[in-house]
Amino acid sequence: MRLSEAFYKYVLSLLLLLAPVLYSGAQTLNFRQLTVNDGLLSSTIYFTYQDSRGFMWFATESGVNRYDGSKFESFTIDDGLSDNEVLWIQEDSQGRIWFLTLNGQLCYYFGNRFYNPSNTELLRKASPKASVIS
């Protein structure tokens, strides 16, 4: 009789442990593939970053995209990037979004404007005279 009680306790414990796993089927994850047809500048993406405001940034071979969850906004050298081929994105503690481009230039986006070596003395002094290889 003891074996039977132990067995029932074991089965009951196992069911209680597995209940959350069995019940978790109620959640559904939805994924959506975004492409150049949705507004992405290029299908070659070097880096992705989510900023503190929730925007997703995509560094591509043809510029940078900012995605708000429904639409893309595109940025290129025409908007103030140092180069269209962007390799890396990072946000600093002041909310500036920094970009490292293939030509080795740093630039940042702040207050709906790009700052780069051609319009900011500090970045001009900090820019190397070489390209980034890896």
Side-chain angles (χ1 to χ4, degrees):
M1 196 103 133
R2 284 189 165 199
L3 180 60
S4 162
E5 285 178 28
F7 177 73
Y8 288 119
K9 286 182 182 179
Y10 175 75
V11 170
L12 183 59
S13 298
L14 188 61
L15 286 174
L16 289 173
L17 287 172
L18 290 176
V21 174
L22 298 173
Y23 184 70
S24 68
Q27 284 185 330
T28 303
L29 297 176
N30 293 317
F31 293 95
R32 181 173 171 223
Q33 182 176 356
L34 300 167
T35 68
V36 292
N37 294 332
D38 299 300
L40 197 58
L41 282 169
S42 171
S43 59
T44 301
I45 299 172
Y46 297 123
F47 197 85
T48 60
Y49 183 79
Q50 184 172 15
D51 70 18
S52 62
R53 295 177 19 200
F55 290 110
M56 291 298 300
W57 293 84
F58 299 91
T60 78
E61 67 181 353
S62 303
V64 171
N65 284 110
R66 183 174 72 176
Y67 185 66
D68 66 4
S70 61
K71 67 181 182 325
F72 283 104
E73 189 170 359
S74 301
F75 304 103
T76 64
I77 57 173
D78 294 335
D79 300 296
L81 277 174
S82 302
D83 187 14
N84 280 337
E85 200 154 0
V86 179
L87 305 176
W88 176 81
I89 304 170
Q90 186 67 47
E91 183 176 13
D92 67 17
S93 61
Q94 296 177 1
R96 294 176 292 197
I97 308 296
W98 289 85
F99 306 94
L100 175 64
T101 59
L102 183 65
N103 65 8
Q105 303 286 314
L106 282 173
C107 63
Y108 67 89
Y109 182 81
F110 188 70
N112 295 324
R113 181 174 174 220
F114 277 93
Y115 298 85
N116 59 52
S118 67
N119 65 16
T120 307
E121 181 66 26
L122 181 62
L123 289 176
R124 190 175 309 118
K125 290 179 181 178
S127 294
K129 303 285 189 245
S131 295
V132 176
I133 301 300
S134 66

